[in-house]
Amino acid sequence: MSKKHLINHGKSVESNRGKRISFLKRNWLMILIIGFLTLGVLGSGLKYLEQDAMRQQRADDGGRRAVIDKSLLNKINPFLSAPPTQSTPRLAKEYLYAGGRLLAVEDAGAAAAPPADLAVWRPSTGTWWVLGGQGSQQITFQWGASGDEPVPGDYDGDGKTDFSVFRASANQWWIFQSSSNTYYSITYGTSGDKAAPADYDGDGKTDLAVFRPSNRNWYILQSGNNQPSQQQFGLSADTPVPADYDGDGRADLAVWRNSGTTFYSLNSSNGELAAATFGAAGDKPVPADYDGDGRADFALFRDSTAIWYLRNSNNSAIQSIQWGTSGDSLVPNDYDGDGKVDIAVWRGSNGNWYIRKSGSNGELRQEAWGTTGDIPVPAFYRR
């Protein structure tokens, strides 16, 4: 570049600098006002975010943050602490209704407490009809024959209920495993035995078991070591009602004695005998964990008045609730996934389920599923 060009370029730069300085001198008041306004807006925004964070932290409900404002500022709020990590609830027990008995099954592999599926077994065709929850596929599966007794349980410990039947004529158990889609049969028991499967050893799998009225013995094939065990408990006329009454994760030997209107259970945790006398002769036993404390409550249903009598496992107080009508099948189970067993009946005359949801202040859930002659077998079957 020539000397002349350099001189001209320098003059141009100097001229531009002078113009900028002249502009700043003429407009200094406006620039100052804009600066103050910008700082004010920024300060107000930060103050809002701080106050918003404090409101949300005060509204924190037991670790579950109550969202007050879903604005963009709320989402990027630098003053708001990270939301607390919510642990996934684990299912302690799954309650299965099998024919005339309610079973407690320890379910160590489950990641959440799933609501039970509505299900029936049709003896005329040996077909299982399962209605899952919202977004779950309906299932039909042929397993068993007329004369069999459905004995659903989690025999493989995968957290799902297996299609299973007990063939009393041959003392055979036929079990279709959900984990592998394979089946097996085993002969266990003798003529006159009453099937009483449950998780007696606490390994997360349902054990094959029978109660023999002729000698009052319980015979249990423990899934944990594949070893049989036996113990005498109850009288020949008693109804077996195994469940986890002491909350140790293992089903206890238990019976309902109609003649004395008394429940008897043998605690697996310490070997102590527990007894509860209430109700009247002719009442039907429906023990389950209705209060969600991890222990089955002694409970009865009086068909003549359709009244449920629930004895609280914590304080022995008895609650009476009218639900259903005479002739209904009793199907208590946890249908809303809140960890409490819901009072429920299945009406064979119209195939309707009437469920009193414990998680909704007794709200009714009514579903049509099944037909006359079916046997209701609700549980968690979802594949």
Side-chain angles (χ1 to χ4, degrees):
M1 184 180 291
S2 66
K3 182 176 181 181
K4 181 179 179 180
H5 287 159
L6 287 173
I7 293 172
N8 289 336
H9 176 70
K11 288 180 178 180
S12 177
V13 171
E14 185 66 26
S15 175
N16 289 336
R17 183 184 297 114
K19 289 178 180 179
R20 288 195 295 271
I21 293 172
S22 176
F23 175 81
L24 293 174
K25 287 180 178 179
R26 291 195 309 270
N27 300 284
W28 66 270
L29 182 59
M30 182 182 297
I31 294 172
L32 186 62
I33 292 173
I34 292 173
F36 275 118
L37 289 175
T38 301
L39 291 175
V41 170
L42 179 60
S44 297
L46 292 174
K47 184 64 176 178
Y48 162 79
L49 290 174
E50 182 180 15
Q51 292 175 346
D52 177 77
M54 293 174 66
R55 287 196 303 271
Q56 290 208 41
Q57 288 162 0
R58 286 195 299 268
D60 193 337
D61 178 19
R64 296 187 296 272
R65 189 167 301 284
V67 178
I68 299 172
D69 183 4
K70 294 184 179 180
S71 65
L72 177 61
L73 283 176
N74 176 272
K75 295 177 182 177
I76 62 174
N77 193 336
F79 294 98
L80 190 60
S81 58
T85 302
Q86 297 186 16
S87 59
T88 303
R90 298 192 65 82
L91 175 63
K93 298 167 190 65
E94 181 179 352
Y95 287 93
L96 311 172
Y97 179 85
R101 285 177 300 284
L102 188 72
L103 315 175
V105 177
E106 185 73 8
D107 201 351
D117 302 319
L118 307 186
V120 296
W121 183 70
R122 192 158 296 164
S124 60
T125 60
T127 304
W128 302 69
W129 298 80
V130 180
L131 177 64
Q134 187 175 5
S136 176
Q137 185 178 5
Q138 297 178 10
I139 301 168
T140 58
F141 191 80
Q142 191 165 14
W143 191 250
S146 180
D148 291 346
E149 177 186 352
V151 285
D154 186 6
Y155 294 91
D156 54 10
D158 68 343
K160 298 178 182 178
T161 302
D162 306 312
F163 300 115
S164 312
V165 295
F166 174 64
R167 191 161 295 163
S169 59
N171 304 309
Q172 286 182 327
W173 300 68
W174 292 83
I175 298 170
F176 192 90
Q177 299 179 105
S178 58
S179 60
S180 60
N181 288 327
T182 60
Y183 71 90
Y184 67 93
S185 66
I186 184 171
T187 301
Y188 197 74
T190 190
S191 178
D193 287 351
K194 296 181 179 180
D199 183 10
Y200 296 93
D201 56 8
D203 67 344
K205 299 179 182 180
T206 303
D207 305 313
L208 275 63
V210 296
F211 172 69
R212 188 164 298 166
S214 60
N215 62 9
R216 300 169 292 142
N217 270 342
W218 295 69
Y219 297 90
I220 301 169
L221 184 60
Q222 301 172 99
S223 56
N225 55 18
N226 204 35
Q227 295 298 312
S229 67
Q230 71 178 71
Q231 185 164 350
Q232 192 174 73
F233 187 76
L235 299 179
S236 59
D238 290 345
T239 300
V241 287
D244 184 7
Y245 296 95
D246 56 6
D248 68 344
R250 295 177 291 170
D252 307 312
L253 304 185
V255 296
W256 159 249
R257 188 162 301 163
N258 185 67
S259 60
T261 65
T262 302
F263 283 97
Y264 296 95
S265 66
L266 188 64
N267 292 340
S268 55
S269 58
N270 54 20
E272 292 183 0
L273 176 68
T277 301
F278 66 105
D283 290 349
K284 299 177 181 178
V286 282
D289 185 11
Y290 295 96
D291 55 11
D293 67 348
R295 295 181 292 170
D297 307 305
F298 297 119
L300 295 164
F301 174 77
R302 187 162 299 164
D303 191 78
S304 60
T305 57
I307 294 179
W308 299 65
Y309 296 93
L310 315 179
R311 184 180 182 273
N312 189 287
S313 55
N314 283 317
N315 55 21
S316 300
I318 296 176
Q319 180 184 13
S320 61
I321 300 173
Q322 190 165 28
W323 193 260
T325 188
S326 179
D328 286 347
S329 296
L330 312 176
V331 289
N333 212 312
D334 183 6
Y335 296 95
D336 52 13
D338 67 345
K340 299 179 182 179
V341 171
D342 308 310
I343 291 174
V345 297
W346 181 76
R347 193 159 296 162
S349 60
N350 59 14
N352 274 335
W353 298 69
Y354 301 92
I355 300 168
R356 184 181 186 272
K357 296 194 291 185
S358 57
S360 304
N361 297 319
E363 178 185 339
L364 166 67
R365 174 189 173 190
Q366 181 177 345
E367 297 272 3
W369 191 253
T371 189
T372 302
D374 290 348
I375 297 175
V377 284
F380 182 73
Y381 295 91
R382 266 159 272 187
R383 301 299 195 257

